[in-house]
Amino acid sequence: MIENYPSQPSNSDRSNNSAPPSFQNQQNQLVPWAEEEEEDWSVQKILGVLRRRALVMTGVTIAVMTIAVISLVLKQKPPEYEGNFQLLVEPVNDDSKEVDVVKDSNSQMSSLDYESQIQVLKSPELMRDTLKKLQASYPEIDYYSLLDSLKITRLGETKIILVSYRSSNRDQTQAVLKRIAKDYLDYSKIRRQTKLRQGLQFVENQLPFTQNRVDQLQKELQFFRQNYNFDNPEAQAEQISSQTVELSQQRQAIDLQLAQARANLTSLKEKNGATAMLNNAPLYQQLITQIRQFDVQIATESTRLRDKNPTIQTLKEKRASLLPLLRQQAQQLLGAKFAEVEIQLQTLEVKSQELTKIEQKLAQRRNQLPILIRQYAELQRKLQFANESLNRFLSIRENLQIQISQTELGWQLLQVPTTPEIPISSSDTLRSFVLGLVASIISGVGIVLLMEKLDNAYHTVDDLKRKVKQPLLGNIPFEQQIQTKQNRTSKQIFSLSRIPNFLSKKIAKVSVLPQEEQGEYSSNFSEALRVVYTNIKLLSSDSPLHSIVISSAMPGDGKSTVALHLAQIATAMGQRVLLVDADLRKPTIHNLSHLNNLWGLSNLISTNLPVGEVIRQLPSMSKLSVITAGPVPSDPAKLLSSSKMKQLMIDFQKTFDLVIYDAPPLVGLADASLIAPHTDGLLIVVRIHKTNSSILKIALDNLKIYRLNILGIVCNGQKTNFNGLY
């Protein structure tokens, strides 16, 4: 497993954590249920959770089982004997319907209220005689002690009542059950006789009322049919529907005729319309023809005679005499046509009004039809129900009379009182122990599943791939050698921190820690790093990546150690690699690489120190160049956003084949977002069982806002057996 080297928080982290307010607000909203997808609780996943948290489940199970055993020991009672008997309280042929006038004759449900019957069987009034007979042999028995030991229940959904009694004396148990069984059978005979007589009396009282009800409903139905001429709802509906269609057709015809009449009247009132009508009149056209003939004759004679000639004057007088006749004929024709059109219009309007009245009456009938149908159906339903009630009462009366005349039987004893030879306490103890064991296991599983639900970390690579929509560039397995080495390094740093100031500075000039060769790690671990390096190289085959930023969503995910070992792998592959510790808040690279941190990146940015003064090679790999963070500055974000830093990054990229920047965590700090835009992309390290999924989601959302190039995700610390894959 790759893990960040622990370091003490610096004062600058508390004073210069200049995260935007949006980051802080998002951190306050971290809840375990912030995932975008609903978790799929498959059987395989549940088994994986139980296997991973087996220790917790075992502890909870043992604790709950211990409490159950202690409680069982404290509550253990002396041995007791329990006996019982069974009573059939209703006939199996369902003749109970003969005495139940409320119950439907077709119903097969029980008519007995078992809960109320059981309370009656436990009542002091019914138990009085039983107690007197029992106290003669067992004076210690009273009503309350008997009730505490007596249990009366219904056997499932059957017609059988189970009566059980428990005591520490076997003979007493047997005697009590026999006495109660006999008294209950006697009670049932008296109860049945009383019930039959009461039922018959009730039926006799209800018959006249039911008969009167039937007669009244028949009269109401007859009056309804006569009053509304209503025999069949379907026929009434069809009749109204056909009348509606017929009236609709008549309405369309009348409306068409009215429109045509109004159009004719309007046309007559206009000049063109009157002219057209006169042109179709024969007499008017004859007068027009004669006038035109006189005009022709006058024009012909005028060519050879003067205007005062008697012939011309005679023709003009004849023409003038025709004009009054023409006007008189026109007026007569127009008046007659106007009168004809107005009479037609009035006739059509009268028909329209009559049709409207008929339509209103039909609409009223149509609106009233549902009410009439409902009333008709209600009357029929009431009459049917009344007839059924009358028939049922008559049938019940006959059956009751037959039952009373026959031998009356009460409840039947299906199982005589029995008392076991072995006390029941041992079986109860075993049952309680088994129930406690089951409850403890369920509690352990429940606590484990609850912890898993509240846990907001990624526990498998599949969860990470399903919930994070980013490319997974590698899966680095857990490596025990790195864990042991880093723990030892942590102790050495702590011991150095206790050396006086003046000595520690002298030691730092040489090396913070003793030089130590890189350990031999497992092949799975080394191969996983090579896979990450290869995937990064293949991301852009046309233009190879020259600089990347490695960061994580939160501290402790292993981003610094991934950066160091990835740089070593790239160097071993023949690349000229520069590893830059850009974490100016909690620098770690110098501890992991066993280099001093006297001069570093902060000096390069803030002073005119030459680059060659701060570039060093690892003791175990001389071709790998490293720039440590240097002294922690007061404002890291200001240095990383300076123009000097941008120029240094350009120079680094020109000099080396690959530049790897180890940046602080993404959430809450702006450092990685300041340097990432000047590189080829950002690599995010996610640690299994540790990285908070809500924090990672916030980091990815912020990177989308900044529009930074995310190369992918590296999964760190997967404790899966990779052996035997090839």
PDB file of all heavy atoms in Angstrom, residues 296-322:
ATOM      1  N   VAL A 296     -85.534  52.655 -80.309  1.00  0.00           N
ATOM      2  CA  VAL A 296     -84.936  52.378 -81.631  1.00  0.00           C
ATOM      3  C   VAL A 296     -85.697  53.120 -82.723  1.00  0.00           C
ATOM      4  O   VAL A 296     -85.099  53.723 -83.642  1.00  0.00           O
ATOM      5  CB  VAL A 296     -84.943  50.857 -81.898  1.00  0.00           C
ATOM      6  CG1 VAL A 296     -84.502  50.576 -83.332  1.00  0.00           C
ATOM      7  CG2 VAL A 296     -84.015  50.142 -80.893  1.00  0.00           C
ATOM      8  N   GLN A 297     -87.026  53.108 -82.630  1.00  0.00           N
ATOM      9  CA  GLN A 297     -87.828  53.797 -83.646  1.00  0.00           C
ATOM     10  C   GLN A 297     -87.579  55.307 -83.609  1.00  0.00           C
ATOM     11  O   GLN A 297     -87.464  55.965 -84.657  1.00  0.00           O
ATOM     12  CB  GLN A 297     -89.322  53.508 -83.433  1.00  0.00           C
ATOM     13  CG  GLN A 297     -89.693  52.041 -83.701  1.00  0.00           C
ATOM     14  CD  GLN A 297     -91.160  51.753 -83.398  1.00  0.00           C
ATOM     15  OE1 GLN A 297     -91.922  52.678 -83.064  1.00  0.00           O
ATOM     16  NE2 GLN A 297     -91.568  50.484 -83.568  1.00  0.00           N
ATOM     17  N   ILE A 298     -87.510  55.873 -82.391  1.00  0.00           N
ATOM     18  CA  ILE A 298     -87.257  57.318 -82.255  1.00  0.00           C
ATOM     19  C   ILE A 298     -85.894  57.648 -82.844  1.00  0.00           C
ATOM     20  O   ILE A 298     -85.721  58.653 -83.550  1.00  0.00           O
ATOM     21  CB  ILE A 298     -87.360  57.751 -80.792  1.00  0.00           C
ATOM     22  CG1 ILE A 298     -88.818  57.639 -80.314  1.00  0.00           C
ATOM     23  CG2 ILE A 298     -86.858  59.173 -80.603  1.00  0.00           C
ATOM     24  CD1 ILE A 298     -88.997  57.849 -78.819  1.00  0.00           C
ATOM     25  N   ALA A 299     -84.912  56.809 -82.572  1.00  0.00           N
ATOM     26  CA  ALA A 299     -83.574  57.078 -83.107  1.00  0.00           C
ATOM     27  C   ALA A 299     -83.574  56.961 -84.637  1.00  0.00           C
ATOM     28  O   ALA A 299     -82.907  57.745 -85.328  1.00  0.00           O
ATOM     29  CB  ALA A 299     -82.575  56.090 -82.490  1.00  0.00           C
ATOM     30  N   THR A 300     -84.348  56.017 -85.177  1.00  0.00           N
ATOM     31  CA  THR A 300     -84.387  55.842 -86.642  1.00  0.00           C
ATOM     32  C   THR A 300     -85.078  57.028 -87.322  1.00  0.00           C
ATOM     33  O   THR A 300     -84.598  57.558 -88.348  1.00  0.00           O
ATOM     34  CB  THR A 300     -85.120  54.539 -86.983  1.00  0.00           C
ATOM     35  OG1 THR A 300     -84.462  53.441 -86.309  1.00  0.00           O
ATOM     36  CG2 THR A 300     -85.101  54.293 -88.469  1.00  0.00           C
ATOM     37  N   GLU A 301     -86.222  57.474 -86.758  1.00  0.00           N
ATOM     38  CA  GLU A 301     -86.967  58.590 -87.344  1.00  0.00           C
ATOM     39  C   GLU A 301     -86.221  59.899 -87.187  1.00  0.00           C
ATOM     40  O   GLU A 301     -86.376  60.828 -87.996  1.00  0.00           O
ATOM     41  CB  GLU A 301     -88.348  58.693 -86.683  1.00  0.00           C
ATOM     42  CG  GLU A 301     -89.260  57.520 -86.975  1.00  0.00           C
ATOM     43  CD  GLU A 301     -89.598  57.387 -88.453  1.00  0.00           C
ATOM     44  OE1 GLU A 301     -89.611  58.420 -89.162  1.00  0.00           O
ATOM     45  OE2 GLU A 301     -89.808  56.226 -88.910  1.00  0.00           O
ATOM     46  N   SER A 302     -85.431  59.988 -86.126  1.00  0.00           N
ATOM     47  CA  SER A 302     -84.694  61.252 -85.900  1.00  0.00           C
ATOM     48  C   SER A 302     -83.655  61.484 -86.977  1.00  0.00           C
ATOM     49  O   SER A 302     -83.217  62.618 -87.199  1.00  0.00           O
ATOM     50  CB  SER A 302     -84.015  61.215 -84.526  1.00  0.00           C
ATOM     51  OG  SER A 302     -84.976  61.161 -83.511  1.00  0.00           O
ATOM     52  N   THR A 303     -83.263  60.473 -87.699  1.00  0.00           N
ATOM     53  CA  THR A 303     -82.258  60.638 -88.749  1.00  0.00           C
ATOM     54  C   THR A 303     -82.834  61.311 -89.990  1.00  0.00           C
ATOM     55  O   THR A 303     -82.092  61.918 -90.776  1.00  0.00           O
ATOM     56  CB  THR A 303     -81.690  59.267 -89.135  1.00  0.00           C
ATOM     57  OG1 THR A 303     -82.762  58.406 -89.529  1.00  0.00           O
ATOM     58  CG2 THR A 303     -80.950  58.636 -87.952  1.00  0.00           C
ATOM     59  N   ARG A 304     -84.145  61.180 -90.136  1.00  0.00           N
ATOM     60  CA  ARG A 304     -84.735  61.771 -91.333  1.00  0.00           C
ATOM     61  C   ARG A 304     -85.772  62.831 -91.012  1.00  0.00           C
ATOM     62  O   ARG A 304     -86.223  63.568 -91.897  1.00  0.00           O
ATOM     63  CB  ARG A 304     -85.356  60.664 -92.203  1.00  0.00           C
ATOM     64  CG  ARG A 304     -86.472  59.916 -91.566  1.00  0.00           C
ATOM     65  CD  ARG A 304     -86.948  58.746 -92.432  1.00  0.00           C
ATOM     66  NE  ARG A 304     -88.117  58.105 -91.861  1.00  0.00           N
ATOM     67  CZ  ARG A 304     -89.369  58.524 -92.072  1.00  0.00           C
ATOM     68  NH1 ARG A 304     -89.603  59.579 -92.876  1.00  0.00           N
ATOM     69  NH2 ARG A 304     -90.386  57.891 -91.508  1.00  0.00           N
ATOM     70  N   LEU A 305     -86.274  62.910 -89.750  1.00  0.00           N
ATOM     71  CA  LEU A 305     -87.292  63.904 -89.371  1.00  0.00           C
ATOM     72  C   LEU A 305     -86.772  64.749 -88.250  1.00  0.00           C
ATOM     73  O   LEU A 305     -85.832  64.390 -87.541  1.00  0.00           O
ATOM     74  CB  LEU A 305     -88.584  63.194 -88.950  1.00  0.00           C
ATOM     75  CG  LEU A 305     -89.268  62.304 -90.008  1.00  0.00           C
ATOM     76  CD1 LEU A 305     -90.468  61.593 -89.403  1.00  0.00           C
ATOM     77  CD2 LEU A 305     -89.710  63.144 -91.215  1.00  0.00           C
ATOM     78  N   ARG A 306     -87.455  65.879 -88.070  1.00  0.00           N
ATOM     79  CA  ARG A 306     -87.096  66.765 -86.971  1.00  0.00           C
ATOM     80  C   ARG A 306     -87.774  66.306 -85.692  1.00  0.00           C
ATOM     81  O   ARG A 306     -88.716  65.549 -85.717  1.00  0.00           O
ATOM     82  CB  ARG A 306     -87.523  68.199 -87.319  1.00  0.00           C
ATOM     83  CG  ARG A 306     -86.741  68.772 -88.502  1.00  0.00           C
ATOM     84  CD  ARG A 306     -87.162  70.203 -88.732  1.00  0.00           C
ATOM     85  NE  ARG A 306     -86.397  70.768 -89.859  1.00  0.00           N
ATOM     86  CZ  ARG A 306     -86.574  72.019 -90.273  1.00  0.00           C
ATOM     87  NH1 ARG A 306     -87.485  72.816 -89.684  1.00  0.00           N
ATOM     88  NH2 ARG A 306     -85.852  72.499 -91.292  1.00  0.00           N
ATOM     89  N   ASP A 307     -87.296  66.867 -84.579  1.00  0.00           N
ATOM     90  CA  ASP A 307     -87.835  66.453 -83.271  1.00  0.00           C
ATOM     91  C   ASP A 307     -89.291  66.854 -83.109  1.00  0.00           C
ATOM     92  O   ASP A 307     -90.034  66.204 -82.371  1.00  0.00           O
ATOM     93  CB  ASP A 307     -87.004  67.070 -82.148  1.00  0.00           C
ATOM     94  CG  ASP A 307     -85.609  66.490 -82.113  1.00  0.00           C
ATOM     95  OD1 ASP A 307     -85.407  65.361 -82.667  1.00  0.00           O
ATOM     96  OD2 ASP A 307     -84.682  67.088 -81.492  1.00  0.00           O
ATOM     97  N   LYS A 308     -89.708  67.920 -83.755  1.00  0.00           N
ATOM     98  CA  LYS A 308     -91.089  68.370 -83.596  1.00  0.00           C
ATOM     99  C   LYS A 308     -92.039  67.688 -84.573  1.00  0.00           C
ATOM    100  O   LYS A 308     -93.215  68.017 -84.626  1.00  0.00           O
ATOM    101  CB  LYS A 308     -91.155  69.886 -83.785  1.00  0.00           C
ATOM    102  CG  LYS A 308     -90.419  70.652 -82.686  1.00  0.00           C
ATOM    103  CD  LYS A 308     -90.544  72.138 -82.897  1.00  0.00           C
ATOM    104  CE  LYS A 308     -89.839  72.951 -81.821  1.00  0.00           C
ATOM    105  NZ  LYS A 308     -89.985  74.406 -81.986  1.00  0.00           N
ATOM    106  N   ASN A 309     -91.576  66.765 -85.285  1.00  0.00           N
ATOM    107  CA  ASN A 309     -92.409  66.031 -86.215  1.00  0.00           C
ATOM    108  C   ASN A 309     -93.423  65.220 -85.434  1.00  0.00           C
ATOM    109  O   ASN A 309     -93.094  64.619 -84.402  1.00  0.00           O
ATOM    110  CB  ASN A 309     -91.535  65.103 -87.071  1.00  0.00           C
ATOM    111  CG  ASN A 309     -92.352  64.488 -88.207  1.00  0.00           C
ATOM    112  OD1 ASN A 309     -93.081  63.550 -87.984  1.00  0.00           O
ATOM    113  ND2 ASN A 309     -92.183  65.022 -89.416  1.00  0.00           N
ATOM    114  N   PRO A 310     -94.705  65.198 -85.922  1.00  0.00           N
ATOM    115  CA  PRO A 310     -95.768  64.466 -85.191  1.00  0.00           C
ATOM    116  C   PRO A 310     -95.427  63.002 -85.000  1.00  0.00           C
ATOM    117  O   PRO A 310     -95.789  62.413 -83.981  1.00  0.00           O
ATOM    118  CB  PRO A 310     -96.986  64.653 -86.086  1.00  0.00           C
ATOM    119  CG  PRO A 310     -96.730  65.915 -86.838  1.00  0.00           C
ATOM    120  CD  PRO A 310     -95.276  65.982 -87.076  1.00  0.00           C
ATOM    121  N   THR A 311     -94.765  62.399 -85.905  1.00  0.00           N
ATOM    122  CA  THR A 311     -94.439  60.970 -85.752  1.00  0.00           C
ATOM    123  C   THR A 311     -93.508  60.742 -84.565  1.00  0.00           C
ATOM    124  O   THR A 311     -93.707  59.827 -83.762  1.00  0.00           O
ATOM    125  CB  THR A 311     -93.780  60.447 -87.039  1.00  0.00           C
ATOM    126  OG1 THR A 311     -94.675  60.686 -88.145  1.00  0.00           O
ATOM    127  CG2 THR A 311     -93.487  58.963 -86.943  1.00  0.00           C
ATOM    128  N   ILE A 312     -92.466  61.598 -84.516  1.00  0.00           N
ATOM    129  CA  ILE A 312     -91.512  61.457 -83.386  1.00  0.00           C
ATOM    130  C   ILE A 312     -92.198  61.764 -82.076  1.00  0.00           C
ATOM    131  O   ILE A 312     -91.995  61.109 -81.047  1.00  0.00           O
ATOM    132  CB  ILE A 312     -90.300  62.363 -83.614  1.00  0.00           C
ATOM    133  CG1 ILE A 312     -89.506  61.875 -84.843  1.00  0.00           C
ATOM    134  CG2 ILE A 312     -89.390  62.378 -82.393  1.00  0.00           C
ATOM    135  CD1 ILE A 312     -88.321  62.743 -85.208  1.00  0.00           C
ATOM    136  N   GLN A 313     -93.065  62.790 -82.074  1.00  0.00           N
ATOM    137  CA  GLN A 313     -93.756  63.158 -80.835  1.00  0.00           C
ATOM    138  C   GLN A 313     -94.658  62.007 -80.387  1.00  0.00           C
ATOM    139  O   GLN A 313     -94.774  61.721 -79.189  1.00  0.00           O
ATOM    140  CB  GLN A 313     -94.582  64.425 -81.080  1.00  0.00           C
ATOM    141  CG  GLN A 313     -93.718  65.678 -81.292  1.00  0.00           C
ATOM    142  CD  GLN A 313     -92.926  66.036 -80.053  1.00  0.00           C
ATOM    143  OE1 GLN A 313     -93.402  65.842 -78.949  1.00  0.00           O
ATOM    144  NE2 GLN A 313     -91.719  66.573 -80.255  1.00  0.00           N
ATOM    145  N   THR A 314     -95.313  61.354 -81.346  1.00  0.00           N
ATOM    146  CA  THR A 314     -96.205  60.235 -80.990  1.00  0.00           C
ATOM    147  C   THR A 314     -95.414  59.092 -80.372  1.00  0.00           C
ATOM    148  O   THR A 314     -95.822  58.486 -79.376  1.00  0.00           O
ATOM    149  CB  THR A 314     -96.935  59.746 -82.244  1.00  0.00           C
ATOM    150  OG1 THR A 314     -97.691  60.842 -82.811  1.00  0.00           O
ATOM    151  CG2 THR A 314     -97.876  58.607 -81.913  1.00  0.00           C
ATOM    152  N   LEU A 315     -94.234  58.805 -80.976  1.00  0.00           N
ATOM    153  CA  LEU A 315     -93.396  57.724 -80.426  1.00  0.00           C
ATOM    154  C   LEU A 315     -92.922  58.039 -79.016  1.00  0.00           C
ATOM    155  O   LEU A 315     -92.889  57.172 -78.126  1.00  0.00           O
ATOM    156  CB  LEU A 315     -92.193  57.478 -81.348  1.00  0.00           C
ATOM    157  CG  LEU A 315     -92.516  56.868 -82.716  1.00  0.00           C
ATOM    158  CD1 LEU A 315     -91.254  56.801 -83.581  1.00  0.00           C
ATOM    159  CD2 LEU A 315     -93.112  55.467 -82.553  1.00  0.00           C
ATOM    160  N   LYS A 316     -92.552  59.302 -78.801  1.00  0.00           N
ATOM    161  CA  LYS A 316     -92.077  59.692 -77.464  1.00  0.00           C
ATOM    162  C   LYS A 316     -93.197  59.599 -76.440  1.00  0.00           C
ATOM    163  O   LYS A 316     -92.992  59.218 -75.277  1.00  0.00           O
ATOM    164  CB  LYS A 316     -91.505  61.105 -77.510  1.00  0.00           C
ATOM    165  CG  LYS A 316     -90.164  61.190 -78.228  1.00  0.00           C
ATOM    166  CD  LYS A 316     -89.616  62.609 -78.189  1.00  0.00           C
ATOM    167  CE  LYS A 316     -88.234  62.687 -78.853  1.00  0.00           C
ATOM    168  NZ  LYS A 316     -87.675  64.054 -78.823  1.00  0.00           N
ATOM    169  N   GLU A 317     -94.440  59.996 -76.878  1.00  0.00           N
ATOM    170  CA  GLU A 317     -95.554  59.912 -75.925  1.00  0.00           C
ATOM    171  C   GLU A 317     -95.844  58.453 -75.558  1.00  0.00           C
ATOM    172  O   GLU A 317     -96.123  58.130 -74.398  1.00  0.00           O
ATOM    173  CB  GLU A 317     -96.790  60.561 -76.557  1.00  0.00           C
ATOM    174  CG  GLU A 317     -96.683  62.083 -76.671  1.00  0.00           C
ATOM    175  CD  GLU A 317     -97.861  62.687 -77.413  1.00  0.00           C
ATOM    176  OE1 GLU A 317     -98.734  61.887 -77.834  1.00  0.00           O
ATOM    177  OE2 GLU A 317     -97.896  63.911 -77.534  1.00  0.00           O
ATOM    178  N   LYS A 318     -95.801  57.564 -76.558  1.00  0.00           N
ATOM    179  CA  LYS A 318     -96.021  56.147 -76.255  1.00  0.00           C
ATOM    180  C   LYS A 318     -94.942  55.608 -75.297  1.00  0.00           C
ATOM    181  O   LYS A 318     -95.223  54.820 -74.394  1.00  0.00           O
ATOM    182  CB  LYS A 318     -96.031  55.348 -77.553  1.00  0.00           C
ATOM    183  CG  LYS A 318     -97.274  55.599 -78.415  1.00  0.00           C
ATOM    184  CD  LYS A 318     -97.211  54.740 -79.682  1.00  0.00           C
ATOM    185  CE  LYS A 318     -98.456  54.966 -80.553  1.00  0.00           C
ATOM    186  NZ  LYS A 318     -98.451  54.136 -81.778  1.00  0.00           N
ATOM    187  N   ARG A 319     -93.681  56.027 -75.566  1.00  0.00           N
ATOM    188  CA  ARG A 319     -92.588  55.570 -74.668  1.00  0.00           C
ATOM    189  C   ARG A 319     -92.799  56.086 -73.258  1.00  0.00           C
ATOM    190  O   ARG A 319     -92.601  55.387 -72.259  1.00  0.00           O
ATOM    191  CB  ARG A 319     -91.242  56.037 -75.224  1.00  0.00           C
ATOM    192  CG  ARG A 319     -90.057  55.592 -74.380  1.00  0.00           C
ATOM    193  CD  ARG A 319     -88.764  56.142 -74.948  1.00  0.00           C
ATOM    194  NE  ARG A 319     -87.633  55.693 -74.157  1.00  0.00           N
ATOM    195  CZ  ARG A 319     -87.234  56.251 -72.999  1.00  0.00           C
ATOM    196  NH1 ARG A 319     -87.921  57.298 -72.508  1.00  0.00           N
ATOM    197  NH2 ARG A 319     -86.195  55.772 -72.347  1.00  0.00           N
ATOM    198  N   ALA A 320     -93.199  57.381 -73.156  1.00  0.00           N
ATOM    199  CA  ALA A 320     -93.384  57.974 -71.822  1.00  0.00           C
ATOM    200  C   ALA A 320     -94.529  57.301 -71.092  1.00  0.00           C
ATOM    201  O   ALA A 320     -94.520  57.197 -69.858  1.00  0.00           O
ATOM    202  CB  ALA A 320     -93.621  59.478 -71.954  1.00  0.00           C
ATOM    203  N   SER A 321     -95.548  56.847 -71.826  1.00  0.00           N
ATOM    204  CA  SER A 321     -96.681  56.198 -71.165  1.00  0.00           C
ATOM    205  C   SER A 321     -96.287  54.832 -70.586  1.00  0.00           C
ATOM    206  O   SER A 321     -96.938  54.330 -69.669  1.00  0.00           O
ATOM    207  CB  SER A 321     -97.830  56.050 -72.165  1.00  0.00           C
ATOM    208  OG  SER A 321     -97.437  55.179 -73.225  1.00  0.00           O
ATOM    209  N   LEU A 322     -95.238  54.214 -71.131  1.00  0.00           N
ATOM    210  CA  LEU A 322     -94.803  52.918 -70.608  1.00  0.00           C
ATOM    211  C   LEU A 322     -93.966  53.017 -69.322  1.00  0.00           C
ATOM    212  O   LEU A 322     -93.880  52.058 -68.545  1.00  0.00           O
ATOM    213  CB  LEU A 322     -93.993  52.166 -71.676  1.00  0.00           C
ATOM    214  CG  LEU A 322     -94.776  51.690 -72.902  1.00  0.00           C
ATOM    215  CD1 LEU A 322     -93.811  51.042 -73.901  1.00  0.00           C
ATOM    216  CD2 LEU A 322     -95.866  50.706 -72.505  1.00  0.00           C
TER     217      LEU A 322
END
